[in-house]
Amino acid sequence: MKLNNNWWFTLIELLIAITIFMILVVMSFVPYQYYSNIAKVKLASKEISQSISEARNTAINWYDDSWTNQSIGIYFDASNNKVKLFSFNYSSWITANMINNNDYLLKQRELPEWVQIDNVSWNDKVLLYFSSIYWVPKLYDENANLINLDEVDFNISFKWSTNPALNKTVKFYKKTNLTDY
């Protein structure tokens, strides 16, 4: 007597296996996207912290072609998610025209996609200024008005998210020149 040993899958079994596989793939994509967004916010906070350190160190150590000290300002604009580094002569007073003029621009950085600066100490546009002579940072608003704060908060989020994991605050302490992210 001959036994019929077929080990082939039927079409129904194959469709069930593919369906289970697709469900597992979809379920694993959601956490991956979430943790990817968290990583983007962390990267943006590190980039802001690095920009602050770079501006401070450049103000302390950098000379232009005429061997004069150059003060450095970092301009944070919440409307276009760009961080701009400006170079100013150490003896110049900051004006609104200087902040909006790209003649003083050293470099510009963009934050990762979909990550935004919500505000900087309750302002949308702020210039953090490092003097090359005094090494004391100052904070100016978009109209070049001095803001007197000992601590500057940079609020960053992913697409206006209210989820605490997708919001980050970078703190800069002016008295100690330390950044906490």
Side-chain angles (χ1 to χ4, degrees):
M1 190 171 190
K2 188 175 180 184
L3 291 174
N4 191 2
N5 289 333
N6 273 340
W7 292 95
W8 300 101
F9 287 109
T10 64
L11 183 60
I12 303 260
E13 291 172 328
L14 190 61
L15 288 175
I16 290 173
I18 290 173
T19 304
I20 292 171
F21 177 74
M22 293 305 291
I23 289 171
L24 291 174
V25 167
V26 168
M27 288 174 53
S28 67
F29 178 73
V30 173
Y32 171 78
Q33 190 68 26
Y34 175 73
Y35 290 114
S36 174
N37 295 342
I38 290 174
K40 287 178 184 178
V41 171
K42 286 182 181 179
L43 177 67
S45 65
K46 288 180 182 180
E47 194 158 316
I48 286 175
S49 176
Q50 181 182 5
S51 296
I52 293 170
S53 297
E54 180 183 1
R56 180 183 174 275
N57 292 336
T58 304
I60 292 171
N61 299 317
W62 187 58
Y63 295 94
D64 67 355
D65 295 337
S66 62
W67 288 94
T68 58
N69 293 40
Q70 294 292 306
S71 297
I72 303 296
I74 312 172
Y75 187 62
F76 298 94
D77 187 356
S79 64
N80 64 10
N81 290 335
K82 292 184 181 172
V83 179
K84 297 179 179 181
L85 270 72
F86 289 96
S87 170
F88 304 106
N89 191 336
Y90 76 93
S91 62
S92 61
W93 293 95
I94 302 298
T95 63
N97 186 32
M98 294 171 98
I99 293 173
N100 297 320
N101 190 350
N102 283 337
D103 291 341
Y104 300 96
L105 185 66
L106 280 178
K107 68 168 68 171
Q108 177 174 301
R109 291 184 176 163
E110 276 194 50
L111 296 180
E113 187 177 5
W114 298 107
V115 177
Q116 65 189 23
I117 301 173
D118 291 331
N119 58 45
V120 180
S121 295
W122 303 283
N123 292 301
D124 287 336
K125 298 177 181 179
V126 169
L127 178 78
L128 184 59
Y129 177 79
F130 292 93
S131 172
S132 62
I133 301 295
Y134 304 111
W135 301 347
V136 178
K138 294 180 182 175
L139 191 65
Y140 294 95
D141 67 4
E142 64 183 314
N143 298 318
N145 298 321
L146 186 64
I147 302 171
N148 290 320
L149 294 173
D150 291 333
E151 181 180 304
V152 183
D153 295 333
F154 301 91
N155 298 312
I156 306 165
S157 69
F158 184 83
K159 288 202 268 190
W160 303 281
S161 174
T162 56
N163 184 342
L166 295 175
N167 290 318
K168 192 102 170 125
T169 300
V170 177
K171 291 183 180 284
F172 175 70
Y173 302 97
K174 285 174 36 179
K175 290 183 178 179
T176 59
N177 284 321
L178 292 176
T179 308
D180 182 22
Y181 60 92

